[in-house]
Amino acid sequence: MSISYRNTNTGDIATFDEPSARLDALENWERIQDGQPLPPVVNDGVLSRPTLTAPGVHDLSYTGPATNEALREESPAAAEGAETLATTEGGESTAPQRPARNASKAEWQDYAQQVETDPEAQSDIDGLTRDELAAKYGGDR
């Protein structure tokens, strides 16, 4: 004989061979007898809470560009800026100078923090060795 439990918040049903002391202790789980009709799901407010939405994903009122091409047409300077290096008024590059392969770990960490754009990869920089940093960020000289 199996014993079924129903989550009153989500409607999920779990079936076990023996009674579950854990589910018996939780308020939002109830035992279902064989053949018993399922009670309605109770709205506790958790499932009906508003969620954060990204423009154009769930927010249908968004009227901005719908494609990458339309975004580039709307803001061509931003699209070009992603590919160009920053320069001073004299035309000199202000891009970070890559350290030598045998530079200190601190120098490689500083350089990696400046050139890495991925926040997740930036958080990993402190855990890398000097040789790993040099290999990943171009220490071929």
Side-chain angles (χ1 to χ4, degrees):
M1 177 179 165
S2 63
I3 298 172
S4 296
Y5 293 86
R6 181 178 171 277
N7 184 313
T8 58
N9 294 335
T10 64
D12 291 340
I13 296 177
T15 304
F16 301 95
D17 293 331
E18 300 176 357
S20 169
R22 181 169 183 247
L23 294 184
D24 282 332
L26 296 172
E27 290 180 15
N28 62 321
W29 286 92
E30 61 187 2
R31 278 194 196 187
I32 301 172
Q33 303 301 322
D34 288 336
Q36 175 184 358
L38 297 177
V41 175
V42 176
N43 182 358
D44 70 345
V46 173
L47 299 177
S48 62
R49 292 180 186 166
T51 59
L52 297 175
T53 60
V57 176
H58 298 287
D59 179 9
L60 301 179
S61 66
Y62 178 72
T63 59
T67 63
N68 286 340
E69 186 174 329
L71 184 62
R72 283 187 215 99
E73 288 172 3
E74 182 179 287
S75 181
E80 290 174 14
E83 298 298 324
T84 60
L85 295 174
T87 57
T88 64
E89 287 184 23
E92 299 172 6
S93 173
T94 59
Q97 185 68 29
R98 183 176 58 197
R101 173 111 173 109
N102 62 351
S104 70
K105 179 179 177 179
E107 289 178 77
W108 275 106
Q109 286 175 324
D110 289 342
Y111 175 73
Q113 290 288 351
Q114 292 174 27
V115 298
E116 182 59 66
T117 58
D118 179 25
E120 188 174 332
Q122 277 193 352
S123 68
D124 295 338
I125 288 174
D126 290 337
L128 298 174
T129 66
R130 182 196 68 188
D131 292 336
E132 291 170 333
L133 289 165
K136 184 171 182 175
Y137 295 101
D140 53 6
R141 46 184 181 132

